[in-house]
């Protein structure tokens, strides 16, 4: 693999300040408080030195889309579940055979999208005597390559999660379709928010849906205007990734 450029602490600090300023402006436009928005730095494909530099620059929330990579980085900078000071977010698609690693090393999961996975996570979390905060992933763009539930299936899925006492359902998560103009995906973010707002909690009082995990480097400001509480930002913070 060709080398990815690795930014140093001052460079990351500068980008972090710029992203935070844009988050604050988006919040102001929407009449929201910046305290409501958590910035997750997505460090996938970058070496652990980048995670450490970002930590020194002040970042405390980190996201990875592969379990193995999260486990390796959390070994160096542990998450809260392991007694550390940062929060690790597993944001990528999760296979059931990796559920044990997620329960052991990830603080939050953003990609719950099927009942068999929920069953496995519930069993593992019960064994580990912990509660795993989970976002339910929704495919709002309708792209066949995307993971996540169809919007029409979300409410029934939330009902079906009622028996899982070791999973705390905190909100909905999505990836919008790639778009040159982020305005183009505003309706997709709006749809996610509407799905959360219209859920009838009487069907499952344990479901809270306090949070919306949506918005990436190219579209986080629009996502915040539409109610995002967790934005997942990679390239705008750490530079371009060399991905297949
Ligand atoms: C890679 C990734 C991101 C960050 O993407 P950028 O465009 O680099 O900000 C966010 N969410 C998920 C699920 C990802 O896999």
């Amino acid at each position: 693999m060709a080398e990815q450029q690795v930014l140093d602490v001052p460079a990351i600090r500068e980008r972090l300040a710029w992203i935070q300023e844009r988050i604050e402006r988006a919040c102001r436009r929407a009449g929201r408080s910046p305290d409501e928005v958590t910035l997750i730095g997505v460090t996938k494909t970058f070496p652990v030195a980048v995670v450490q530099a970002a930590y020194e620059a002040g970042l405390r929330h980190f996201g990875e889309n592969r379990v193995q990579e999260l486990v390796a980085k959390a070994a160096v900078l542990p998450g809260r579940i392991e007694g550390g000071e940062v929060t690790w977010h597993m944001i990528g698609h999760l296979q059931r055979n990796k559920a044990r690693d997620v329960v052991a090393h990830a603080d939050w999961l953003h990609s719950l999208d099927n009942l068999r996975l929920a069953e496995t996570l519930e069993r593992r979390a019960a064994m580990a005597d912990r509660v795993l905060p989970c976002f339910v992933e929704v495919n709002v763009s309708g792209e066949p390559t995307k993971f996540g539930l169809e919007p029409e299936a979300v409410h029934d899925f939330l009902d079906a999660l009622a028996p899982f006492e070791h999973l705390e359902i905190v909100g909905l998560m999505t990836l919008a379709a790639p778009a040159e103009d982020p305005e183009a995906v505003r309706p997709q973010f709006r749809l996610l928010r509407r799905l959360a707002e219209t859920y009838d909690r009487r069907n499952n009082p344990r479901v809270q849906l306090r949070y919306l995990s949506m918005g990436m480097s190219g579209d986080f400001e629009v996502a915040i205007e539409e109610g995002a509480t967790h934005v997942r930002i990679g390239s705008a913070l750490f530079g371009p990734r060399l991905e297949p």
Side-chain angles (χ1 to χ4, degrees):
M1 198 207 263
E3 286 292 298
Q4 283 181 146
Q5 196 195 344
V6 170
L7 300 176
D8 59 11
V9 176
I12 293 177
R13 190 174 282 131
E14 200 173 298
R15 282 170 178 238
L16 201 51
W18 173 229
I19 300 280
Q20 266 152 356
E21 186 178 324
R22 288 168 63 190
I23 289 173
E24 279 164 32
R25 281 192 216 157
C27 283
R28 222 170 297 140
R29 284 196 297 278
R32 303 180 58 200
S33 161
D35 299 343
E36 295 172 24
V37 179
T38 299
L39 167 58
I40 301 172
V42 178
T43 45
K44 66 187 184 196
T45 78
F46 286 100
V48 70
V50 167
V51 179
Q52 288 169 307
Y55 177 81
E56 274 179 57
L59 196 65
R60 291 293 178 270
H61 288 262
F62 294 91
E64 287 288 336
N65 71 335
R66 295 207 174 95
V67 178
Q68 246 43 54
E69 212 172 325
L70 186 152
V71 171
K73 288 170 181 169
V76 179
L77 199 66
R80 293 185 173 277
I81 192 67
E82 297 183 278
E85 289 171 34
V86 304
T87 302
W88 279 104
H89 299 261
M90 172 58 193
I91 62 175
H93 181 64
L94 179 60
Q95 310 275 1
R96 272 183 300 141
N97 61 6
K98 302 277 170 58
R100 186 219 296 247
D101 284 336
V102 164
V103 166
H105 304 287
D107 295 286
W108 292 49
L109 174 69
H110 289 239
S111 50
L112 181 59
D113 67 355
N114 69 82
L115 269 185
R116 294 187 70 198
L117 176 61
E119 281 161 11
T120 308
L121 287 166
E122 165 66 23
R123 190 157 40 82
R124 290 290 179 188
M127 284 164 70
D129 194 23
R130 73 166 290 195
V131 171
L132 179 68
C134 298
F135 287 91
V136 167
E137 182 170 356
V138 185
N139 180 356
V140 290
S141 69
E143 294 165 284
T145 52
K146 288 260 166 80
F147 293 105
L149 292 145
E150 300 298 312
E152 305 74 41
V154 170
H155 288 178
D156 285 347
F157 182 71
L158 293 170
D159 293 352
L161 294 174
F164 302 128
E165 294 181 357
H166 297 83
L167 307 182
E168 183 190 0
I169 309 306
V170 296
L172 303 181
M173 177 274 209
T174 201
L175 283 91
E180 218 135 277
D181 177 5
E183 281 302 328
V185 295
R186 188 182 291 275
Q188 296 174 21
F189 294 138
R190 202 167 280 174
L191 171 58
L192 194 74
R193 187 181 66 197
R194 224 184 39 242
L195 284 170
E197 285 171 350
T198 55
Y199 180 62
D200 186 348
R201 281 193 59 216
R202 284 172 299 187
N203 294 331
N204 183 354
R206 294 185 47 256
V207 167
Q208 289 284 347
L209 306 185
R210 286 175 287 149
Y211 300 128
L212 294 173
S213 172
M214 59 187 193
M216 321 203 312
S217 290
D219 55 22
F220 69 90
E221 286 146 307
V222 171
I224 288 170
E225 288 170 13
E226 294 302 328
T229 61
H230 292 69
V231 292
R232 310 175 309 263
I233 298 184
S235 49
L237 261 179
F238 304 117
R241 287 181 300 272
L242 301 172
E243 282 173 315

